[in-house]
Amino acid sequence: MLKQNKWKILITTLVILIPMLIGCLLWKQLPSAVITHWGANNEADGFSSKAFAVFGMPAILAALHLLCIVMTAADPKQKNIGTKPLGLVFWIIPSITLLIFSIIYAGAMGVQVNVGFFVILLIGVFFILLGNLLPKTKQNYTFGLKLPWTLNDPENWNRTHRFAGWCMVLAGVIILLTAYWQNLWIFLGVLLLAVFAPVAYSFIYYKRHPSQK
């Protein structure tokens, strides 16, 4: 997998490092302490040095990106992941990096950004995307609900991931529709339901089909 996707690995890693270039171009305009974290009330509550924000954070994200790819390549069933879900593995961190640094640099330049709103929108879109990809995966150890029952029974895996796909899409739509209010309880409730409902479904299916245990 690594050899076949070497150009994709290179390109996605370079995308993660783009904020370094932008940071260098904005260096003189950036404050010495850059906001790198916001609380639930959209108030800044975490700062980093300019050097760490510009160089350290992209480097850490690039290392995490490469680690995820290596771990995926080490999956003995990585061929079952599928082309589109594998594309998510390659592009999820680069996409998040560009969004994060757009917010960080905008805040550093004095632009008021509703961080919570954009983060919730991102999560909603991610859930919808994930919901469309889950039913397309076969048994593997990287992508999906890796439970004892799903890994031991292909039918359990397939049914659980079809159900999980619907749950994720529904959760994503609800999150997008309620993003404006940024209600933490609605968000957490939908998030927990989307995660635990498929787990419960998988376990119930396992208990009802003893011949496939």
Side-chain angles (χ1 to χ4, degrees), residues 19-147:
M20 286 188 179
L21 175 60
I22 296 175
C24 289
L25 295 175
L26 297 175
W27 187 265
K28 292 183 179 180
Q29 298 170 264
L30 295 175
S32 57
V34 178
I35 303 171
T36 51
H37 190 273
W38 288 260
N41 58 356
N42 285 318
E43 294 293 330
D45 61 1
F47 295 82
S48 298
S49 67
K50 179 163 57 174
F52 180 78
V54 173
F55 300 107
M57 289 180 62
I60 291 173
L61 289 167
L64 179 61
H65 172 63
L66 294 175
L67 177 62
C68 289
I69 293 174
V70 170
M71 290 179 65
T72 301
D75 187 340
K77 294 186 177 182
Q78 57 95 1
K79 291 183 179 179
N80 289 343
I81 296 176
T83 304
K84 291 183 178 179
L86 190 60
L88 183 63
V89 174
F90 278 107
W91 284 103
I92 183 64
I93 293 181
S95 300
I96 291 175
T97 299
L98 293 181
L99 176 64
I100 289 174
F101 274 92
S102 295
I103 294 173
I104 288 176
Y105 287 148
M109 301 299 290
V111 178
Q112 294 295 321
V113 181
N114 191 329
V115 179
F117 178 71
F118 284 106
V119 169
I120 291 175
L121 284 182
L122 174 65
I123 294 174
V125 171
F126 175 72
F127 268 47
I128 293 174
L129 178 61
L130 188 61
N132 280 279
L133 294 179
L134 282 174
K136 297 179 173 66
T137 62
K138 297 179 181 180
Q139 287 176 312
N140 68 89
Y141 299 103
T142 302
F143 190 89
L145 294 172
K146 302 175 288 297
L147 303 169

Side-chain angles (χ1 to χ4, degrees), residues 141-162:
Y141 299 103
T142 302
F143 190 89
L145 294 172
K146 302 175 288 297
L147 303 169
W149 322 293
T150 56
L151 292 174
N152 290 329
D153 180 5
E155 186 62 21
N156 190 315
W157 175 282
N158 293 332
R159 288 177 178 269
T160 296
H161 284 74
R162 282 197 295 268

